[in-house]
Structure formats: C-alpha cells, structure tokens
Amino acid sequence: MPRTSSTDKGDGDSAAEKEERLPEFKTPLEYYLHRLGALLSETYSIATVDLTSHPLPEERSRIWFIGSKDSGFSAEQWKSAIQKLHAVSLALPRHHLRAFFDKFGVTGGLSAEKKKEKTAWHKEASYAKFFAAAWQKAATAKRVGDQPIERSGRPSAQVALQDCSPWMQANIDVYQAILDQLRVEDAAAGCKDQDMFPVADVSQATNRGYANLTGTWGTLCTSTKAVNFSNFQHLGGKGMLSVLGFDVAEIKTVGVGETAMSDLAGNGMSFTQLSQVLLPMLLRCV
C-alpha cells in the first residue's frame, strides 16, 4: 500500500520529512488497524475475525472488525467465541443452490427491451454487435475458445429468451459457452455430469462475471442476475435473500418488489456471519 499522506497542517515540516516519519503498511488491513488503534486503543480492545457464510452457498468471506471496552470480555475473547461458532458451522453440510432455484426460481423477466427495435433485423444487428464484444472479452480472459457455435444453436434462439434485450441475449449466449468450457474441464478432472449445476451471473461482463458448476455462489450484488442454465430460470429478490440465510416466509414484503429485495440482498450480510458475530455479545448482555 502506498505511504499515507499526513493531514496535519501548520507544523512546519516539509512533505519529505512527513513522508519519512510515516510507517509503511503492507495491506489496507494493517493501516485500518493502525488507525483504529490510534483512535480507540485507550478505551477499546480491537481484533479482526475472518468469516465465511458456510453452510450457506454464498462463498464471499468477510473480515469483521470487533471492539470491546468491557475489561471482562476483551475483543480477543469475543473473537475466540466467534471462531468456535464458525467452526461448528464449517462442520455442517453445505446447502446447494439447486434447492433455492427449485423454490424461488423465476421464469421470464430477465431483461426486457428498454427500447423496442423497429424490426427483427434491427434487433439482430444489435445482438450481433453485443455478442461480438462479449465474446471478445471472454476470449481475451481465456474463458472461451476462438469460435462460437452457430447462431441457431445458442440459448437466445429459444422462444423463452426472445423477450430479452439484445445485450442480455448476447451475454447469456457467451456465458453458456463459458459454462460449456468449465464442464469440459471439470469432466476431465473426474466430475460427473449429473453433479454439475450450471449457473452464471449474466448481468456482469463476460471477462469477469461469476460462473460455476458446483452449486455455490460468490458475491451477491444489487445487479446480480443468477441464472440456472438448465432451464434459464433466474433467482429473484426473495431467492437472493434466502441464499443469505433469511427466512423470507417470515419477512413481511408487502409493497416491496423483487427489485427492491434484490437491492437489499446485494447490500446485505449473510445471516450466518451476522449471528456468529452478535451472539457472543448478546449472551454477554443477558
């Protein structure tokens, strides 16, 4: 990490002298801990703990900063309690995305055309432009080969996807090729075809968007469009919240649409991590 610049003013030191005094930090985390320690160490003990969302299918890990001013329950003691709970969760069997799609999968409505093309050939021309760009990104990232399959064999040729925008159709077609390549690689590694569950986030650029066959998920974003390529259902807002561990059957969603729930999930935190961090503190307060 670059040296940090001082915000002090009027002390008469030159910029070079200030630069010389500042310590080097190898990571942003080191800097954050340094600053928190400088600001809070007289009142709080501080620690960090790295957690996953296991046994939920979301794979995104997070670093939690915890601080305690209770001398009888230091941040390190709190961290130890969290880690014990996390160890229990890691021993549990992992939930598979298939169950979430079976319950919350949505058919249609992936991405309607914002502006209707004048004619079918106008739409096809737009598709060709978007497909070429999406394929080039994926090929540059070595996620697909050199040549795509014929237009008639791509997913967007199906009736179920005809209402999608040309951009979405192009992205879906390229992600299908990405998943096909993953399938070949996994089969070569000994994975059985019936164990593969093809999903991808078709809202993201094809050079970096999430795609896998393992039944897990990476990071949920507010824009995420997680698609099951077995039937082209996507996971709506309720499904995304459920992947984070929330019991959506118990959540009152009157007046809250699927888009708003997707935003909540994209800005949310998994229930497993949240409960592991808060439970030791709440038990301390009882």
Side-chain angles (χ1 to χ4, degrees):
M1 180 175 179
R3 294 176 184 267
T4 56
S5 58
S6 173
T7 57
D8 295 335
K9 296 181 179 180
D11 58 6
D13 291 343
S14 68
E17 289 171 330
K18 291 178 182 178
E19 178 76 7
E20 185 65 29
R21 284 207 315 268
L22 291 172
E24 285 191 4
F25 301 99
K26 295 181 180 179
T27 66
L29 179 60
E30 286 186 6
Y31 173 72
Y32 298 148
L33 288 171
H34 168 78
R35 291 297 298 152
L36 287 171
L39 294 169
L40 304 174
S41 60
E42 293 184 5
T43 309
Y44 289 84
S45 58
I46 301 168
T48 62
V49 59
D50 192 353
L51 300 176
T52 69
S53 297
H54 200 97
L56 296 172
E58 190 207 32
E59 289 189 317
R60 182 180 181 181
S61 61
R62 291 175 172 86
I63 296 176
W64 289 73
F65 290 79
I66 54 178
S68 174
K69 61 179 179 179
D70 183 347
S71 59
F73 188 63
S74 68
E76 285 298 327
Q77 289 173 300
W78 187 1
K79 175 179 179 178
S80 178
I82 293 170
Q83 289 176 323
K84 289 177 181 177
L85 289 173
H86 191 52
V88 172
S89 74
L90 289 174
L92 296 172
R94 191 162 202 171
H95 294 287
H96 197 284
L97 272 179
R98 181 179 284 108
F100 295 89
F101 274 98
D102 286 346
K103 188 169 184 178
F104 299 104
V106 178
T107 301
L110 260 176
S111 175
E113 294 182 70
K114 294 181 180 179
K115 180 182 178 181
K116 286 287 185 180
E117 299 287 353
K118 294 179 180 179
T119 65
W121 69 264
H122 276 100
K123 183 174 182 178
E124 189 63 20
S126 294
Y127 165 84
K129 178 183 68 174
F130 291 129
F131 180 82
W135 187 272
Q136 182 61 50
K137 286 181 179 179
T140 300
K142 301 186 184 306
R143 304 185 82 184
V144 295
D146 295 327
Q147 294 296 325
I149 63 173
E150 293 296 324
R151 176 75 168 96
S152 59
R154 300 173 198 166
S156 64
Q158 298 181 23
V159 174
L161 298 176
Q162 290 302 298
D163 289 337
C164 290
S165 68
W167 181 89
M168 181 58 75
Q169 287 183 340
N171 252 31
I172 289 173
D173 287 348
V174 176
Y175 272 107
Q176 180 67 74
I178 291 171
L179 289 166
D180 288 344
Q181 181 160 307
L182 287 175
R183 190 182 296 274
V184 171
E185 294 170 358
D186 286 5
C191 296
K192 297 180 180 179
D193 191 69
Q194 61 266 29
D195 295 330
M196 300 180 190
F197 188 69
V199 292
D201 185 354
V202 298
S203 72
Q204 304 298 314
T206 53
N207 60 331
R208 57 178 175 79
Y210 193 79
N212 82 10
L213 304 167
T214 64
T216 58
W217 194 257
T219 300
L220 287 175
C221 308
T222 56
S223 61
T224 291
K225 287 288 186 183
V227 172
N228 171 8
F229 275 69
S230 299
N231 56 16
F232 296 102
Q233 286 188 332
H234 63 96
L235 208 56
K238 283 187 177 181
M240 288 170 62
L241 284 173
S242 69
V243 167
L244 293 179
F246 292 94
D247 186 354
V248 293
E250 297 296 322
I251 297 176
K252 294 181 179 180
T253 58
V254 177
V256 182
E258 286 289 319
T259 300
M261 283 189 279
S262 296
D263 288 343
L264 288 171
N267 288 311
M269 192 76 65
S270 73
F271 188 79
T272 49
Q273 291 194 33
L274 190 62
S275 58
Q276 288 166 25
V277 170
L278 293 182
L279 186 58
M281 181 187 67
L282 294 174
L283 289 174
R284 178 75 178 175
C285 295
V286 172

